[in-house]
């Protein structure tokens, strides 16, 4: 399949989802007006969906990354390679309010990657194209503290990672994954602040080496935190600054290795209402620009998101 055609097809499919599925709500008309669900790019807000309300959030993300890694080659030796990646993702998230405080979430994503790999010793570049689904996340979130004058909204969550991606192409994990999360949000009027904390683990992971052998089984952990500040510039326009920091373990040359990813993101969004009188739905379109600060983070990217 022509790779360029595939990229355009992914973008077109995401645009159709954006136009046709975004901000669908089936909440009861008598429900009280819900708290504002602030739009974020890298983090999660603490506000949950109201009972019987469905929200669908599609996005298109493009990132460029580079780095080096050690691999066991076909002869069993250790080889260092320089890598460059162009990554196009089309994530889509479904959120359903079971009650006003408890929501279920499903997140999936299709990804296309162009990978240029160059062994340092030979300087012979190998280009590979990969396209497939990533692992799917199934989760529950519960807001156990509702926002008030004294307290921010505080929500805890659990997610199970379903193995739908091809782990041999590094598009998912080989075995089950679990994640616990904490989100806090506080509205200060013109400003809104958010804080995230997360911990995850993948059990009994191994890596397939180029010589056909496998590494020993290891439990891989990840820890992350994030901060976000949103400024309401006008009634319709918001400005964003987000910071996301993650320490994630992976397998390299049969050993556990930690990678540190730190990204900052400036962004902007525009919101408006459309629909029959009395049944309007709010749409919010956003554009964010993630920038890598550490060597392990992607260099830069663009995120287009609708909520």
């Amino acid at each position: 399949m022509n790779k360029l055609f595939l990229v355009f097809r992914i973008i077109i499919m995401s645009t159709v989802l954006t136009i046709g599925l975004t901000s669908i709500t089936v909440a009861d008309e008598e429900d009280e007006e819900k708290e504002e669900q602030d739009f974020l790019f890298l983090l999660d807000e603490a506000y949950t969906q109201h009972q019987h309300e469905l929200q669908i959030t599609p996005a298109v993300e493009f990132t460029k990354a580079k780095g080096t890694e050690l691999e066991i080659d076909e002869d069993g030796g250790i080889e260092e390679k320089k890598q460059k990646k162009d990554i196009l993702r089309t994530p889509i998230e479904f959120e359903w309010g079971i009650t006003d405080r408890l929501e279920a979430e499903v997140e999936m994503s299709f990804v296309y990657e162009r990978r240029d790999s160059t062994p340092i010793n030979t300087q012979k570049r190998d280009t590979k194209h990969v396209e497939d689904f990533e692992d799917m996340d199934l989760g529950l979130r519960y807001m156990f503290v509702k926002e008030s004058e004294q307290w921010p909204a505080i929500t805890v969550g659990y997610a199970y990672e379903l193995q739908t991606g091809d782990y041999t192409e590094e598009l998912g994990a080989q075995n089950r994954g679990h994640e616990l999360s904490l989100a806090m949000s506080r509205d200060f009027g013109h400003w809104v602040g958010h804080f995230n904390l997360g911990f995850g683990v993948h059990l009994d992971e191994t890596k397939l080496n180029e010589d056909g052998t496998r590494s020993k089984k290891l439990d891989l952990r990840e820890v992350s935190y994030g901060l976000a500040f949103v400024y309401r510039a006008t009634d319709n326009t918001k400005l964003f600054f987000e910071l996301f920091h993650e320490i994630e373990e992976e397998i390299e040359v049969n050993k556990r290795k930690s990678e540190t990813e730190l990204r900052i993101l400036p962004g902007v969004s525009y919101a408006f209402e459309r629909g029959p009188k009395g049944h309007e739905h709010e749409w919010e379109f956003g554009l964010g620009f993630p920038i890598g600060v550490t060597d392990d983070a992607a260099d830069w990217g663009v995120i287009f998101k609708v909520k």
Side-chain angles (χ1 to χ4, degrees), residues 57-251:
T57 309
V60 178
E61 304 176 3
F62 174 78
T63 55
K64 291 186 73 71
K66 64 177 183 293
T68 61
E69 68 174 21
L70 299 177
E71 292 185 353
I72 296 179
D73 61 22
E74 297 177 353
D75 300 323
I78 297 176
E79 187 175 50
E80 184 176 5
K81 293 183 177 181
K82 293 181 179 179
Q83 289 195 335
K84 293 182 179 180
K85 294 182 181 181
D86 293 339
I87 306 168
L88 181 65
R89 299 179 65 248
T90 58
I92 183 168
E93 183 179 19
F94 301 84
E95 299 169 85
W96 171 257
I98 301 173
T99 70
D100 285 348
R101 294 192 178 207
L102 177 66
E103 72 175 19
E105 292 185 335
V106 178
E107 184 174 354
M108 61 186 71
S109 178
F110 190 82
V111 63
Y112 165 76
E113 289 190 16
R114 173 193 166 100
R115 301 172 180 172
D116 290 332
S117 181
T118 307
I120 291 179
N121 293 335
T122 65
Q123 296 298 313
K124 182 180 179 181
R125 188 175 70 176
D126 176 49
T127 299
K128 187 175 184 179
H129 301 270
V130 178
E131 65 268 355
D132 204 345
F133 285 96
E134 295 181 305
D135 285 352
M136 180 187 299
D137 288 336
L138 308 176
L140 289 172
R141 299 175 75 229
Y142 180 71
M143 183 168 60
F144 72 94
V145 176
K146 198 169 184 178
E147 187 174 23
S148 65
E149 292 184 2
Q150 292 79 27
W151 292 94
I154 304 177
T155 296
V156 293
Y158 165 78
Y160 177 80
E161 192 170 296
L162 192 64
Q163 281 65 60
T164 54
D166 186 350
Y167 78 92
T168 64
E169 297 292 354
E170 301 180 1
L171 297 180
Q174 181 181 359
N175 293 309
R176 61 195 181 278
H178 307 272
E179 182 178 352
L180 298 174
S181 62
L182 172 73
M184 302 172 64
S185 298
R186 183 64 186 269
D187 193 326
F188 298 98
H190 285 296
W191 288 92
V192 183
H194 302 273
F195 172 75
N196 283 186
L197 183 65
F199 173 78
V201 61
H202 291 97
L203 304 175
D204 294 334
E205 285 295 299
T206 66
K207 183 175 181 179
L208 180 64
N209 301 313
E210 292 185 4
D211 64 351
T213 63
R214 287 190 179 275
S215 68
K216 65 180 181 180
K217 293 183 178 180
L218 295 170
D219 295 341
L220 303 180
R221 297 171 292 269
E222 58 185 57
V223 179
S224 64
Y225 71 87
L227 296 169
F229 299 96
V230 183
Y231 176 67
R232 296 186 176 99
T234 69
D235 291 339
N236 304 97
T237 306
K238 299 185 184 75
L239 303 178
F240 297 80
F241 178 80
E242 300 183 35
L243 179 149
F244 179 79
H245 187 203
E246 181 179 50
I247 301 174
E248 182 178 14
E249 294 180 337
E250 64 172 26
I251 298 173

Side-chain angles (χ1 to χ4, degrees), residues 238-303:
K238 299 185 184 75
L239 303 178
F240 297 80
F241 178 80
E242 300 183 35
L243 179 149
F244 179 79
H245 187 203
E246 181 179 50
I247 301 174
E248 182 178 14
E249 294 180 337
E250 64 172 26
I251 298 173
E252 184 179 80
V253 193
N254 296 326
K255 296 181 180 179
R256 182 183 284 111
K257 173 192 174 184
S258 293
E259 289 195 345
T260 300
E261 175 184 317
L262 177 61
R263 289 185 290 168
I264 59 174
L265 179 144
V268 62
S269 75
Y270 182 80
F272 59 92
E273 291 187 350
R274 286 292 184 271
K277 188 174 181 180
H279 300 276
E280 296 88 352
H281 302 304
E282 183 177 85
W283 298 53
E284 191 163 5
F285 292 77
L287 201 59
F289 304 93
I291 302 167
V293 178
T294 57
D295 292 338
D296 295 329
D299 294 337
W300 62 270
V302 180
I303 301 175

Side-chain angles (χ1 to χ4, degrees), residues 34-62:
K34 68 174 184 177
E35 297 167 287
E36 182 175 356
Q37 300 252 344
D38 270 299
F39 189 103
L40 294 173
F41 293 93
L42 303 179
L43 277 65
D44 292 318
E45 70 282 346
Y47 308 119
T48 54
Q49 299 300 309
H50 275 211
Q51 188 175 25
H52 299 161
E53 181 178 79
L54 173 66
Q55 183 165 267
I56 302 176
T57 309
V60 178
E61 304 176 3
F62 174 78

